[in-house]
Amino acid sequence: MTGSFFFYFFAAVTLTSALLVVLNRNAVYSAVLLVFCFFSLAVIFLLLEAYFLAILEILIYAGAIMVLFLFVIMLLSLGREKAQEHFRYLQRGLSLFLVIVFFLSVLIIFLSDSGILHQPHGTFTAGGVNALGEALFTKYLLPFEVASLLLLVALIGTVYLAKRKV
Amino acid sequence: MGNIQSISYFLPELMVIATVVVALIADLVYSDRNSYKVGYLVIAGLVVASFTLWLSLPEETTPIFLNTIVVDPFSRIFKFVFLLATFIVVLMSMNSDELKGVRTGEYYTLMAAMVLGMSLMASSVDLIMVYLSIEIVSIISFILAGYLRAQVRSNEAALKYVIYGAFSSGLMLYGLSLLYGLTGTTKLFQLSGSISSLGPGSNLTLTVSTILMLAGFGYKVAIVPFHFWTPDVYEGAPTPVTAYLSVAPKAAGFALLIRFFNTLFGTGQPLNSPVWQAMEGVPWQDILMVLAAVTMTVGNLVAIQQKNIKRLLAYSSIAHAGYILMGVPVLSQEGVYAIVFYIIVYLFMQLGAFSLAIVVSNRYGTEIIEEYSGIGWKSPYLGFFMAVFMFSLTGIPPTAGFIGKMYLFAALINGGSQFYWLAIIGVLNSVISLYYYMRVVKVMYFQGGREKDLYVPGGMSAAIVLAMAIPSIYFGVRWSFLADWVNSSLKFFIAGF
């Protein structure tokens, strides 16, 4: 029950923030909302017991890729953002709301005796590092190696296109 | 088959990978002025790879690398097409003035890597592999299109290509993930089994997923709602790259399209049954038929207005994608046969037309069709062969293009009465295309002065033109050799596992 509540909650957050990324006119806000989207997506991965993927989602997408996005936005210098009055209230209201929701959800987890924290997960290991590594080097060895070639050609291209001398 | 045992079946691809690595290292050694020599290395590598492929057992049909890709006659013939196209384009590039001023070591290295991507496209039977191979080909295409960094139009081409490419691969990924969500597997053969047991409730999802996946495949072969990048990219990219993009990735896209839809939505009948049963409920055949009709009509109608030879050939290649696409929904051995035959013939005539465009731009410095005036008299060599390629692209009898079209229309007529309307549209389109192909010939012969300087292009350029023109005519007169080869290659790996 609590599991499905969390799923629907975070799915709604993911969808809303993804929608706002597209609808927002300010590129910086869009980028921050995208981080939001990635975080709630990571929570959904957690709910699926794919812990490793959840961490990767945060490290790679919310971390590395978003920094890149922000850099690009900065370099493009899309004009000064204006802190609009009503938006600031919205921001405060939203953050307050989210803090309360987060607090309540943590409270629910600890108060409920459904044992969501202590559930023995048995043999299910698909989301772990071991399982992923094993799959990559047996079942998906060829795609894994081909991905390295994909990265290599992308690297060659980037170096060629970005080097100073024509 | 396990990963280690699979390596012996993967030798041609390994040769290509070795070529990429050697070319990459050699490029470090050569100075800017000598970096074109990497091209020779790549040519040598491609020859070795073709030879290895030739030595591989032609009848072998087996899944390798734990069922991620397959080795079968169908992928084998396509690998030959990719190797040949790359070989010719590397030679064309070495004789193009456009690429003289820039360092070309990376260029040839990337072309070799593209062969690998396309080979994987033709042989993958796993959704992950399908996606990865398409991405390899796409990313290399972006870089090659923008290779002339000093030119604004080349940069513009690359940027447009990237934006459309990212969007369509996003759509395709969504389609693939819907498919995965429905069935829980990424293997094509298991997918086809699970889909037939899904029941009618998920037909809508399957249709949506089909359309989304078509966005990805359609982008690679440039069929109509996904074609917007084509003219700008083809005009802006260096001409040899344009020639390459209009032939090789297109062939790879069709190989993937045929394997994907026949495995997924056919009933898994082997290719020796004349007409396969299509799965009920998902109107993918209707979707493909409409797309084919729209593609060739739009391609031809817009081609009429073009003034630049590269843009003209770009729209004509869209139209040709439409003709080829006609064969996919027929779902018969004849249909696939016609497609493969047409792709091989198309390779010769399209690359031939582009190699002539390169020679003309090297010599006369123009890409505008109106400025081709009098070339037929100034240089009978160029005029005559341009006429040959234009006749062949139209599909006029003594040329190979005619035989290719004949097989396509025959496959449609024999496929059943529901395909008649498509065949009629196809014929009407051939008539439209006659107009703009003949205009090029008309300008060359009937406009401008008739001074004669009897220009014959030097060595390699002339040889490439000739090497493309001979099959364009020869296969129009005697095509039994090619027909036999294509016929013997129509074996997919089909049994489930």
Side-chain angles (χ1 to χ4, degrees):
Chain A
M1 181 52 216
T2 28
S4 72
F5 164 72
F6 279 115
F7 172 75
Y8 284 115
F9 177 72
F10 282 105
V13 172
T14 313
L15 287 177
T16 323
S17 52
L19 208 64
L20 285 174
V21 170
V22 187
L23 295 178
N24 215 309
R25 283 168 158 269
N26 189 316
V28 178
Y29 290 158
S30 288
V32 175
L33 281 164
L34 199 57
V35 174
F36 223 87
C37 178
F38 287 142
F39 266 98
S40 46
L41 209 60
V43 176
I44 291 177
F45 277 129
L46 276 183
L47 291 174
L48 293 171
E49 305 191 8
Y51 307 114
F52 187 60
L53 271 184
I55 299 294
L56 282 188
E57 177 81 22
I58 290 176
L59 276 183
I60 296 174
Y61 283 92
I65 291 181
M66 281 319 300
V67 171
L68 206 67
F69 269 25
L70 286 172
F71 258 111
V72 172
I73 293 169
M74 251 169 56
L75 290 175
L76 287 177
S77 63
L78 294 166
R80 296 251 153 247
E81 52 191 287
K82 296 183 200 78
Q84 289 157 334
E85 266 321 286
H86 68 276
F87 197 85
R88 208 167 343 152
Y89 286 124
L90 187 69
Q91 193 180 23
R92 280 181 193 161
L94 201 66
S95 46
L96 194 68
F97 170 72
L98 284 174
V99 165
I100 293 171
V101 167
F102 183 72
F103 179 71
L104 282 180
S105 39
V106 173
L107 213 63
I108 291 171
I109 293 172
F110 279 104
L111 292 184
S112 70
D113 48 14
S114 64
I116 197 170
L117 289 177
H118 312 289
Q119 221 165 36
H121 291 305
T123 52
F124 185 81
T125 53
V129 189
N130 284 348
L132 193 79
E134 214 172 294
L136 273 187
F137 282 99
T138 55
K139 234 173 122 185
Y140 297 108
L141 181 69
L142 187 68
F144 181 62
E145 297 294 342
V146 167
S148 72
L149 189 93
L150 176 70
L151 294 176
L152 177 70
V153 295
L155 204 65
I156 297 174
T158 318
V159 170
Y160 173 77
L161 292 177
K163 73 180 174 190
R164 204 168 298 149
K165 214 174 70 190
V166 176
Chain B
M1 193 176 292
N3 283 324
I4 303 294
Q5 299 98 297
S6 304
I7 290 176
S8 62
Y9 293 91
F10 204 55
L11 271 183
E13 283 87 346
L14 284 180
M15 290 299 152
V16 175
I17 296 175
T19 310
V20 174
V21 173
V22 170
L24 197 59
I25 294 170
D27 187 36
L28 292 175
V29 180
Y30 287 125
S31 66
D32 280 5
R33 254 193 38 244
N34 285 328
S35 75
Y36 71 92
K37 286 182 180 159
V38 174
Y40 293 114
L41 279 176
V42 168
I43 286 178
L46 293 179
V47 170
V48 173
S50 317
F51 194 64
T52 329
L53 187 60
W54 188 255
L55 290 181
S56 68
L57 297 172
E59 291 296 308
E60 189 75 51
T61 50
T62 181
I64 59 174
F65 288 109
L66 298 167
N67 311 334
T68 44
I69 60 173
V70 292
V71 172
D72 56 8
F74 179 73
S75 64
R76 190 168 181 265
I77 194 168
F78 271 100
K79 285 174 198 166
F80 274 117
V81 169
F82 306 143
L83 285 166
L84 180 66
T86 313
F87 181 81
I88 296 164
V89 172
V90 170
L91 283 180
M92 269 162 70
S93 311
M94 294 173 110
N95 292 288
S96 162
D97 283 357
E98 264 179 300
L99 291 162
K100 282 277 152 62
V102 293
R103 187 185 170 90
T104 46
E106 290 91 350
Y107 177 89
Y108 297 119
T109 312
L110 289 173
M111 280 206 165
M114 188 116 157
V115 177
L116 183 76
M118 292 186 297
S119 305
L120 290 173
M121 263 172 95
S123 48
S124 52
V125 287
D126 186 297
L127 296 184
I128 297 174
M129 231 23 243
V130 166
Y131 176 68
L132 272 178
S133 54
I134 289 185
E135 280 304 289
I136 291 184
V137 174
S138 300
I139 285 183
I140 299 177
S141 310
F142 304 152
I143 302 164
L144 290 181
Y147 204 80
L148 297 175
R149 284 195 303 152
Q151 283 190 14
V152 177
R153 68 171 193 173
S154 185
N155 294 338
E156 186 193 328
L159 198 60
K160 279 187 179 159
Y161 206 4
V162 169
I163 291 169
Y164 282 117
F167 190 66
S168 72
S169 84
L171 289 180
M172 180 179 68
L173 266 183
Y174 191 37
L176 295 177
S177 72
L178 281 179
L179 208 56
Y180 177 69
L182 279 175
T183 58
T185 175
T186 58
K187 304 272 182 249
L188 222 49
F189 297 107
Q190 291 168 14
L191 272 174
S192 122
S194 328
I195 281 180
S196 44
S197 63
L198 273 178
S202 41
N203 276 347
L204 181 67
T205 321
L206 269 179
T207 311
V208 171
S209 145
T210 307
I211 293 172
L212 289 172
M213 287 184 298
L214 264 176
F217 302 155
Y219 162 78
K220 277 260 88 40
V221 297
I223 53 178
V224 151
F226 320 111
H227 73 290
F228 291 102
W229 57 276
T230 320
D232 291 325
V233 171
Y234 281 15
E235 191 189 348
T239 317
V241 173
T242 309
Y244 195 46
L245 293 182
S246 72
V247 173
K250 213 168 254 213
F254 274 111
L256 184 58
L257 204 65
I258 294 170
R259 187 190 294 281
F260 199 82
F261 281 107
N262 284 341
T263 312
L264 206 57
F265 293 136
T267 45
Q269 293 294 313
L271 267 167
N272 48 32
S273 60
V275 175
W276 310 313
Q277 297 266 276
M279 210 191 82
E280 303 286 319
V282 183
W284 67 275
Q285 280 176 302
D286 302 317
I287 298 174
L288 283 179
M289 274 157 73
V290 171
L291 282 183
V294 174
T295 302
M296 50 194 173
T297 312
V298 170
N300 278 322
L301 288 181
V302 184
I304 291 177
Q305 306 151 12
Q306 299 310 314
K307 296 184 174 64
N308 180 305
I309 184 85
K310 280 163 84 179
R311 277 185 97 88
L312 178 99
L313 287 172
Y315 278 107
S316 110
S317 90
I318 294 175
H320 282 277
Y323 298 136
I324 299 173
L325 193 65
M326 288 195 302
V328 180
V330 184
L331 207 64
S332 69
Q333 170 134 15
E334 230 186 319
V336 179
Y337 168 79
I339 292 173
V340 179
F341 190 94
Y342 199 87
I343 285 176
I344 295 174
V345 167
Y346 171 73
L347 179 147
F348 288 114
M349 49 202 195
Q350 183 83 357
L351 286 185
F354 270 112
S355 62
L356 264 174
I358 292 175
V359 176
V360 171
S361 110
N362 283 354
R363 167 82 182 177
Y364 300 103
T366 182
E367 287 170 6
I368 310 295
I369 296 169
E370 289 302 315
E371 293 174 11
Y372 274 40
S373 59
I375 285 180
W377 300 95
K378 276 186 250 176
S379 170
Y381 188 89
L382 297 182
F384 172 72
F385 285 119
M386 190 55 126
V388 167
F389 294 130
M390 290 296 140
F391 280 129
S392 192
L393 283 167
T394 322
I396 287 173
T399 57
F402 171 70
I403 308 298
K405 275 204 180 127
M406 194 189 73
Y407 275 126
L408 274 175
F409 291 136
L412 281 177
I413 299 296
N414 293 338
S417 56
Q418 73 269 35
F419 297 110
Y420 286 175
W421 67 273
L422 194 58
I424 293 169
I425 291 184
V427 173
L428 286 177
N429 265 293
S430 302
V431 179
I432 300 175
S433 73
L434 181 69
Y435 171 75
Y436 62 83
Y437 287 129
M438 283 313 107
R439 198 172 53 128
V440 178
V441 179
K442 189 198 94 184
V443 170
M444 291 181 102
Y445 279 102
F446 298 109
Q447 282 180 18
R450 295 192 173 182
E451 75 255 41
K452 292 186 177 147
D453 63 354
L454 295 181
Y455 167 68
V456 176
M460 193 47 94
S461 308
I464 298 170
V465 170
L466 198 64
M468 296 296 99
I470 289 173
S472 301
I473 300 172
Y474 183 76
F475 289 142
V477 187
R478 290 174 181 273
W479 63 91
S480 57
F481 150 73
L482 185 60
D484 288 344
W485 189 39
V486 173
N487 230 338
S488 67
S489 301
L490 292 186
K491 289 198 190 73
F492 293 123
F493 181 84
I494 206 95
F497 38 74

